[in-house]
Amino acid sequence: LGDVYKRQALAGAHVMVLGMDIGGTPDNELQDFGALVQFFSTVELPGMEPHDELAHGATQYVLAGPGHRFVAYASETQGRMGLRRMKAGQYTFFWFDCRTRRSLPLAAQSVDEGDQLWETPSGFGPEVAVYICRSER
């Protein structure tokens, strides 16, 4: 699926393609749309908007409710994704390999204040998204 659909999703848009139907759409495109739906079904979208200025490391696009919730995307991670200007606290991470559709939820972990980089999970490919949510305590 083209990068344009991923950019639209990270801009908060819900994609609908004129003329696309189940019978006439190639399986790989339907699977890609399904992967977007699968990932974004875990994300609490209300209040989030594009904040690409928070991208750090290999991260290209960021959808955020600054200080609390983030979706970061990279098409070529080379192992490290990140965000700028993080608030210190406990955050849960939901990693998603966009090519294999493998997901990995992680328990809350401590994040320091400032610019942060994280290693992508072992075995994940280069195209990765991660949903990061601050725990309220």
Side-chain angles (χ1 to χ4, degrees), residues 40-104:
F40 278 102
S41 69
T42 66
V43 176
E44 188 180 332
L45 285 172
M48 296 181 84
E49 55 190 40
H51 279 281
D52 296 341
E53 75 278 5
L54 299 176
H56 187 48
T59 301
Q60 294 168 275
Y61 305 112
V62 177
L63 189 61
H68 301 286
R69 293 174 288 131
F70 308 87
V71 173
Y73 168 82
S75 61
E76 292 294 330
T77 62
Q78 298 174 350
R80 296 180 65 123
M81 294 178 65
L83 293 170
R84 297 187 185 283
R85 302 192 305 262
M86 295 290 293
K87 289 183 181 180
Q90 294 289 314
Y91 291 82
T92 56
F93 288 70
F94 182 83
W95 292 93
F96 188 74
D97 184 319
C98 300
R99 302 269 167 96
T100 66
R101 297 169 188 86
R102 180 177 160 216
S103 61
L104 180 64

Side-chain angles (χ1 to χ4, degrees), residues 3-50:
D3 195 42
V4 69
Y5 296 120
K6 292 169 190 144
R7 285 195 307 269
Q8 288 173 343
L10 284 165
H14 295 277
V15 179
M16 183 166 91
V17 180
L18 184 62
M20 182 177 273
D21 63 21
I22 298 296
T25 303
D27 286 347
N28 65 322
E29 287 185 24
L30 291 173
Q31 290 169 351
D32 284 342
F33 279 122
L36 281 174
V37 169
Q38 179 185 346
F39 176 74
F40 278 102
S41 69
T42 66
V43 176
E44 188 180 332
L45 285 172
M48 296 181 84
E49 55 190 40

